[in-house]
Amino acid sequence: MQIKLCQSLLVAITLAVATPSIAATTLRIATVSNPDMERMQGLSAAFTSANPDIKFEWIVLDENTLRQRVTTDIATSTGRFDIVTIGSYEAPIWAERGWLSALDKMPEGYDVDDLLPTIREGLSFNGKLYAAPFYGESSFTMYRTDLFDEAGLEMPAAPTWDFIRKAASAISKKRSDTYGVCLRGKPGWGENVALITAMANSYGARWFDNEWRPQFDSEAWAGAVSEYVSLIKDFGPPDAVSNGYSETLQLFKHGKCAIWIDATVAASSITDPKESSVAGSVGFALAPDKGREKGSNWLWAWALAISSGSEHQEAARRFVAWATSRQYAELVAAREGWVNAPPGTRKSLYQNPAYLEAAPFATMVLASIEAADPEHPTVDEVPYTGIQYVAIPEFPGMATAVGAQIAKAAAGKISPSEALKNAQWVTGKVIKRARFLKE
Amino acid sequence: MTDNIRDHQGAIAEIDDEQLPVPRHRLHGATHFLGLYGSEHVAATEFVIGAAFVAMGATIQDILVGLLIGNTLAAISFWLITAPIAVKTRLSLYTYIEHNMGDMVSRLYNGANVLIFVAISAAMITVSATAVRALFDIPPQTDPYPTSLYFVIIAASASVIAVLVAYHGFNLVAEFATICTPWLMVMFTAGGMVLIPSLNETLTGYTTLASFSDFISLAGTTVFTGINAEGEPGIGLVEVIGFAWAANTFAHFGLVDMALLRYAKKSIYGLCTATGMMFGHYIAWISAALMGAATASIMKLSIAVVSPGDVAYYALGATGFVIVVIAGWTTANPNLYRAGLAAQAVFPTIARQKVTLAVGAVVVIGSCFPFIYRQILPILAYAGLVLVPIGGIVFAEQHIFPRLGYKTNWHRLKGLKDNKPALLTWAICLVFGFGLDALGIIYFVYLFLPTWVVAIVCYTLLAKAAGADKSYPEAEQREQEFDNRVKQYHARLAAEENQVPVKDSSALTKIIRAVWIIIGLIVPAVLAWRVLFNSPDLYEYYVNREVFYDVTIWCTLVYFVFAWWDLQRSKALQRAGQPADVAVAAK
């Protein structure tokens, strides 16, 4: 462990000295308050000891406040923040507006080709990387191996939605204390809409055609939403529309779900015996598909970007390179174990035997991330990027409205067809206004 | 000119009305000023100023309390400083300066006014252009300078049209502006109501507000956060009070609004300015800020750069374009006209067309720069600083001089060409005010206060030295004779002019009024209320909002058709005397 730490520090120093020294600089970094980012803040002393000419001022904010504050700063080019933490959704939008500096001149040794291609693509605009991925995720199928064995089922590596229904049905019949399948039901663009959009992609559906006409009146959407509602109603927990990611995670960890299709980030939690009562009997498979060319796996990343208004571009680049480097992951591993290394960004992590041993789900996570294609998220062509979202500014509002309709259908208050009819209407109205203003 | 008018031995009737005090029979009651100030201070500037408070980082508590105090101080200033002088002299400030301060001060004063009115006009035309830019697929102008040639073309074209309208059709636009007030008030309020649920949803995940404290929490977290656009702690209570008070410095301490308040029967009508202050500079500013924050959130832009056109479009749909263009033009129009008049006074020997053209050209160039409209609040504050010394000088003449036994109109009595003490006082005050600003001792919005005091003290001392405390019996006799002739002329005028107000109580008029009040104002207000209080989730919100958008544009059309019809009928009635179906009633 000590040797690895020394190696990591050595590489960090090498990365630092590979770039010309600059005058003493204070970098202002705006970041989201989550364990991974807080860990980065804690480890940043390793960077500053190798780069004594750089100091930090951290601004750690919750997600909503961060989005507001950073948007204001970056839109006005005031350069208050040199480095900002953004997600895959913001990266292409902000890059298009010229708010971010392209990361095409990273310090030597950064090894940009080691980044997972799909994650890199999701953070790029017009072929250029604008945000360096710090952490990435996809979605996949998590299931209880013990319940599958009990029911005489075998989960395929790439299940279909039809199989999910069959398995959920079979387990529900056998076990009254376990729900056949748990799916996000809470309305919201980052909740049920993320899942239903990714699911709809696998059915051949899309939000808009190439002329930005909403497509909720398609057969593909009808199939996807009917199946989603049916799975929730027939095999899901009661009051499923109250369950988002966090609530469903708790259900699974307490042995209440036989199958759960959700973010790959959940894997480390449900396989940790300290947290999960079913840690020893969890299996993983790809997110389900419908036999079309697209699966229902999504793609997301938290990333570090440099404000184009920053006066410390070179220093900021050095830090971003360090915090998203292979060596940083090694530093985390040396300090806190491989299972805590930021996942989903670099190929090298998934070639590391130590990590693969610590994270048995790693190969499935990698397969899910690699299978996601944010540039071509749907079977038919679309004018947008993003798999579980549409990378346009108005998406959160319209998607939450759509999510509310689907939640109503899942709760049995309206039919799936009525939900889709309403989704078609609201999406049409919002996009019409957005396209009219054409930012 | 001063002496020519006062020495005029011919018919007083030949003198331009503007050069004479307002006759008693043309004075107005309190309701006139309540309406007038309501309309004067609900304009396109409010869109910009509301957002400016957000960008400057005021907290919601400071906004609610500070604007209340600042606007109360402004209303009190109108009441205690502007109105008494206006009522006493019955002259506009321009005429007062011309009569009492001579040609040089008059020219310089008008020159300063040209710059200020040109800046306001240009800003308002830019605001109108931001609404039109979406129609032509022009990107938002987020920089201080234009970044699109097409935007330059749009802004310049809008300016050229506005200049031509101001030149040829000033009266028509001014008349149209009078009917806009109730509609602007409803739309400003409705716009904020319509976007609150959207803003709340981005913060809390819910579209509904359960209580006023929810509103405070929302506004405090998303709009008036206490953090400015640079991420630093923003302005505090004292600064907010100052901005609200100083936004109209040139009008109250600077006495520009003598032009309006000279028609007041009593000086207490100065308090009627509270309609403008408390609606336009309180509700409309807060509403505009909420609209700006919500639009910025939807468009993923900073409120500091989001354009009034986009804000209005998201708040009011198609009606938003109408409000921005109308509010912009109805503000730009009188300011362009004032700028033209002021410029003519500066260059009396140059042909009026040439002067107007030159002013128009500056406005055209200025309107292409978004920087001007985004800086309108500081521009107004500094404009006040420039003009307030003249207010101090007039205040000294009207309130201090009589108490000291000095002659109020000493300069005229002495027969001097220029009022050099006034010129010197103004120069000292500008050096003092801007010097104080450079030293940074006082926040710039408050600079007008010490500058005003310095003006009073300086002018009192300098005028005494120049002979203000002396007697001029012959000239005073001449003045007295002139004033008597004016009184006689006004008495004759009062007898000739039919000033008995005619009350139109015909059924058709009642129907017309009911239509523009109910369909034009109440229906949009009720629909906005429904959006705010009956949208349990985002989908319902969008449904209610679309209904509001779709119906309100038609309500707007109905409003303007019927309100205009009402106005024209009323005018025709006043012109014709008493038609058969109306009752005559003394006011």
Side-chain angles (χ1 to χ4, degrees):
Chain A
M1 181 75 83
Q2 199 63 35
I3 293 168
K4 284 192 173 184
L5 174 60
C6 292
Q7 282 174 338
S8 301
L9 288 172
L10 191 65
V11 175
I13 292 165
T14 311
L15 263 175
V17 296
T19 52
S21 67
I22 53 171
T25 299
T26 298
L27 291 177
R28 295 178 60 85
I29 304 173
T31 185
V32 67
S33 58
N34 70 26
D36 287 311
M37 291 299 177
E38 281 158 15
R39 186 177 294 121
M40 176 179 74
Q41 191 180 347
L43 293 173
S44 62
F47 175 82
T48 47
S49 64
N51 295 266
D53 57 332
I54 296 178
K55 292 175 181 171
F56 298 120
E57 193 178 329
W58 296 90
I59 298 95
V60 183
L61 304 161
D62 66 81
E63 202 172 320
N64 273 339
T65 312
L66 176 82
R67 282 204 164 99
Q68 277 188 345
R69 189 79 64 80
V70 168
T71 302
T72 301
D73 176 78
I74 220 157
T76 49
S77 300
T78 50
R80 166 86 175 160
F81 301 127
D82 300 293
I83 297 168
V84 292
T85 306
I86 58 173
S88 308
Y89 165 70
E90 286 92 1
I93 296 173
W94 291 15
E96 187 180 8
R97 290 181 177 194
W99 295 352
L100 305 177
S101 297
L103 301 178
D104 50 0
K105 289 174 189 162
M106 294 297 262
E108 202 177 323
Y110 179 66
D111 195 4
V112 73
D113 292 329
D114 185 39
L115 296 177
L116 293 169
T118 52
I119 292 282
R120 184 176 166 181
E121 217 171 77
L123 297 168
S124 299
F125 176 70
N126 280 348
K128 279 187 181 175
L129 184 70
Y130 279 89
F134 180 78
Y135 145 92
E137 68 168 37
S138 181
S139 59
F140 61 4
T141 306
M142 296 161 274
Y143 65 99
R144 291 272 300 282
T145 51
D146 54 335
L147 299 182
F148 266 63
D149 289 343
E150 193 180 302
L153 294 163
E154 189 177 345
M155 176 68 85
T160 63
W161 285 106
D162 294 336
F163 175 81
I164 296 293
R165 161 171 285 280
K166 187 180 137 194
S169 173
I171 295 169
S172 289
K173 280 175 190 160
K174 277 191 171 291
R175 300 290 294 256
S176 59
D177 60 339
T178 308
Y179 308 116
V181 64
C182 293
L183 300 173
R184 294 183 185 191
K186 188 187 266 186
W189 76 279
E191 294 283 7
N192 66 345
V193 174
L195 177 72
I196 198 76
T197 301
M199 182 177 176
N201 290 343
S202 72
Y203 274 72
R206 52 186 175 164
W207 273 69
F208 301 103
D209 69 6
N210 268 336
E211 304 301 315
W212 288 98
R213 286 182 295 242
Q215 297 296 301
F216 287 92
D217 54 359
S218 65
E219 281 183 21
W221 267 107
V225 172
S226 296
E227 182 65 4
Y228 168 81
V229 169
S230 168
L231 284 172
I232 279 187
K233 277 185 175 173
D234 297 345
F235 313 118
D239 195 25
V241 293
S242 302
N243 298 337
Y245 168 78
S246 303
E247 293 82 1
T248 316
L249 174 66
Q250 292 305 318
L251 285 174
F252 196 95
K253 284 200 295 191
H254 289 96
K256 296 291 180 189
C257 302
I259 304 169
W260 180 27
I261 297 140
D262 215 302
T264 54
V265 71
S268 60
S269 190
I270 59 175
T271 54
D272 182 352
K274 291 178 198 160
E275 291 185 45
S276 170
S277 63
V278 295
S281 53
V282 180
F284 303 94
L286 291 176
D289 62 40
K290 189 65 181 170
R292 310 291 299 262
E293 57 192 272
K294 295 291 175 187
S296 54
N297 50 322
W298 68 59
L299 195 69
W300 181 258
W302 278 113
L304 298 177
I306 301 170
S307 163
S308 56
S310 167
E311 292 174 358
H312 311 298
Q313 294 284 328
E314 198 278 330
R317 212 174 288 266
R318 258 200 280 169
F319 176 76
V320 168
W322 174 81
T324 60
S325 67
R326 187 191 312 177
Q327 292 73 31
Y328 174 79
E330 287 168 3
L331 182 62
V332 174
R335 293 264 178 99
E336 302 187 26
W338 273 109
V339 78
N340 288 309
T345 62
R346 289 186 167 272
K347 296 175 202 167
S348 53
L349 184 70
Y350 296 92
Q351 290 158 0
N352 185 323
Y355 179 68
L356 293 177
E357 191 186 334
F361 44 82
T363 47
M364 197 56 76
V365 172
L366 178 64
S368 299
I369 289 173
E370 285 181 331
D373 183 358
E375 290 288 321
H376 306 94
T378 53
V379 174
D380 296 320
E381 276 191 22
V382 286
Y384 58 84
T385 60
I387 295 175
Q388 74 277 27
Y389 56 84
V390 176
I392 57 171
E394 296 76 12
F395 181 75
M398 74 166 95
T400 301
V402 169
Q405 290 301 299
I406 293 173
K408 273 189 178 176
K413 291 178 182 168
I414 57 174
S415 66
S417 61
E418 191 179 347
L420 286 169
K421 188 178 142 206
N422 293 342
Q424 176 78 5
W425 177 85
V426 73
T427 321
K429 287 292 180 186
V430 175
I431 202 67
K432 190 176 153 194
R433 298 200 175 278
R435 298 307 298 165
F436 182 67
L437 287 180
K438 283 184 188 167
E439 308 85 33
Chain B
M1 183 179 276
T2 303
D3 296 330
N4 287 345
I5 290 165
R6 289 274 160 176
D7 294 341
H8 203 284
Q9 296 302 314
I12 295 285
E14 288 172 13
I15 300 173
D16 185 352
D17 270 0
E18 276 295 311
Q19 297 294 333
L20 297 173
V22 175
R24 285 192 66 79
H25 68 276
R26 287 184 188 164
L27 301 184
H28 296 295
T31 49
H32 171 83
F33 292 98
L34 288 169
L36 180 69
Y37 273 94
S39 65
E40 273 277 309
H41 296 280
V42 186
T45 39
E46 303 353 314
F47 274 111
V48 186
I49 294 175
F53 277 111
V54 181
M56 289 189 291
T59 66
I60 181 64
Q61 287 80 8
D62 289 346
I63 283 290
L64 290 175
V65 177
L67 289 185
L68 194 65
I69 296 172
N71 286 314
T72 303
L73 286 171
I76 290 171
S77 303
F78 277 115
W79 169 38
L80 297 179
I81 293 172
T82 324
I85 297 173
V87 166
K88 189 176 171 190
T89 63
R90 298 288 178 204
L91 294 173
S92 70
L93 181 62
Y94 307 100
T95 307
Y96 186 97
I97 292 171
E98 214 175 309
H99 288 192
N100 292 287
M101 296 186 202
D103 195 44
M104 182 68 84
V105 177
S106 181
R107 279 195 189 198
L108 287 173
Y109 183 80
N110 280 304
N113 273 295
V114 171
L115 295 176
I116 292 161
F117 293 136
V118 160
I120 297 172
S121 302
M124 290 308 99
I125 291 166
T126 317
V127 167
S128 301
T130 64
V132 183
R133 69 116 194 134
L135 300 172
F136 296 95
D137 195 15
I138 297 167
Q141 299 298 291
T142 55
D143 289 311
Y145 46 84
T147 53
S148 160
L149 180 63
Y150 292 110
F151 182 79
V152 172
I153 293 169
I154 293 289
S157 306
S159 304
V160 169
I161 295 167
V163 169
L164 290 175
V165 168
Y167 186 69
H168 292 291
F170 170 75
N171 289 334
L172 186 73
V173 178
E175 201 171 73
F176 180 71
T178 62
I179 64 167
C180 294
T181 309
W183 176 78
L184 281 171
M185 284 181 167
V186 169
M187 290 305 148
F188 262 102
T189 313
M193 291 166 76
V194 164
L195 286 182
I196 282 174
S198 165
L199 191 60
N200 196 38
E201 200 280 333
T202 61
L203 178 71
T204 65
Y206 298 101
T207 48
T208 50
L209 293 171
S211 62
F212 185 68
S213 65
D214 278 4
F215 169 77
I216 296 294
S217 169
L218 171 70
T221 315
T222 60
V223 187
F224 298 110
T225 58
I227 303 292
N228 66 17
E230 285 77 42
E232 307 285 355
I235 58 173
L237 179 67
V238 173
E239 287 83 3
V240 173
I241 293 171
F243 270 112
W245 195 6
N248 281 100
T249 310
F250 63 87
H252 46 70
F253 272 66
L255 299 179
V256 167
D257 271 14
M258 279 172 67
L260 303 177
L261 290 167
R262 64 184 159 149
Y263 289 97
K265 282 179 181 166
K266 300 171 188 171
S267 61
I268 199 169
Y269 293 172
L271 282 176
C272 296
T273 55
T275 51
M277 300 300 108
M278 292 309 169
F279 185 84
H281 292 187
Y282 194 77
I283 294 172
W285 282 0
I286 293 171
S287 186
L290 284 165
M291 288 189 261
T295 305
S297 171
I298 293 166
M299 295 181 75
K300 302 287 178 288
L301 281 174
S302 159
I303 191 168
V305 296
V306 71
S307 78
D310 295 345
V311 171
Y313 180 64
Y314 268 111
L316 301 163
T319 311
F321 292 140
V322 180
I323 195 173
V324 171
V325 171
I326 284 181
W329 275 40
T330 51
T331 316
N333 187 58
N335 283 298
L336 265 170
Y337 184 73
R338 287 170 189 150
L341 286 180
Q344 281 163 31
V346 178
F347 306 105
T349 55
I350 302 175
R352 188 183 170 200
Q353 287 86 346
K354 283 184 183 174
V355 173
T356 307
L357 203 64
V359 168
V362 178
V363 170
V364 170
I365 295 165
S367 66
C368 299
F369 288 83
F371 164 81
I372 296 176
Y373 88 79
R374 292 207 189 99
Q375 295 300 317
I376 195 71
L377 205 47
I379 286 173
L380 291 175
Y382 282 115
L385 184 60
V386 170
L387 301 186
V388 100
I390 295 294
I393 290 167
V394 177
F395 184 88
E397 283 191 340
Q398 292 297 320
H399 288 293
I400 309 293
F401 284 18
R403 286 173 173 77
L404 296 175
Y406 297 180
K407 300 292 179 228
T408 293
N409 51 353
W410 69 274
H411 156 260
R412 203 169 60 234
L413 296 174
K414 204 173 175 185
L416 297 173
K417 185 173 183 291
D418 287 312
N419 186 335
K420 285 179 183 162
L423 266 176
L424 196 56
T425 298
W426 196 7
I428 290 168
C429 287
L430 291 180
V431 172
F432 173 79
F434 285 95
L436 219 54
D437 188 34
L439 292 173
I441 298 168
I442 300 175
Y443 196 55
F444 75 97
V445 292
Y446 284 108
L447 290 170
F448 75 93
L449 280 173
T451 306
W452 185 69
V453 173
V454 167
I456 292 169
V457 173
C458 270
Y459 185 65
T460 305
L461 295 174
L462 291 170
K464 180 178 187 292
D469 57 343
K470 303 281 190 307
S471 287
Y472 304 91
E474 273 184 39
E476 284 176 47
Q477 175 66 30
R478 230 176 22 244
E479 287 277 313
Q480 189 59 48
E481 284 169 12
F482 180 82
D483 290 343
N484 288 339
R485 289 171 63 207
V486 170
K487 276 183 189 163
Q488 288 166 12
Y489 168 66
H490 282 170
R492 201 167 60 245
L493 208 60
E496 286 170 6
E497 291 180 356
N498 175 16
Q499 285 302 308
V500 180
V502 186
K503 189 178 176 187
D504 184 354
S505 55
S506 67
L508 180 58
T509 298
K510 284 178 180 170
I511 291 168
I512 291 169
R513 279 183 194 156
V515 168
W516 68 254
I517 290 170
I518 295 169
I519 297 179
L521 303 177
I522 295 175
V523 169
V526 168
L527 291 175
W529 181 271
R530 185 164 162 258
V531 176
L532 178 58
F533 294 108
N534 195 29
S535 300
D537 61 41
L538 258 189
Y539 178 79
E540 293 299 328
Y541 166 70
Y542 282 124
V543 170
N544 291 337
R545 197 177 79 175
E546 288 298 323
V547 171
F548 171 81
Y549 286 161
D550 293 345
V551 175
T552 299
I553 184 66
W554 293 108
C555 292
T556 294
L557 186 65
V558 168
Y559 174 84
F560 281 112
V561 168
F562 280 78
W564 184 256
W565 187 8
D566 190 6
L567 178 72
Q568 296 310 312
R569 273 179 62 82
S570 172
K571 278 175 59 188
L573 183 66
Q574 298 302 331
R575 277 197 303 267
Q578 300 174 31
D581 59 343
V582 299
V584 179
K587 209 172 185 179

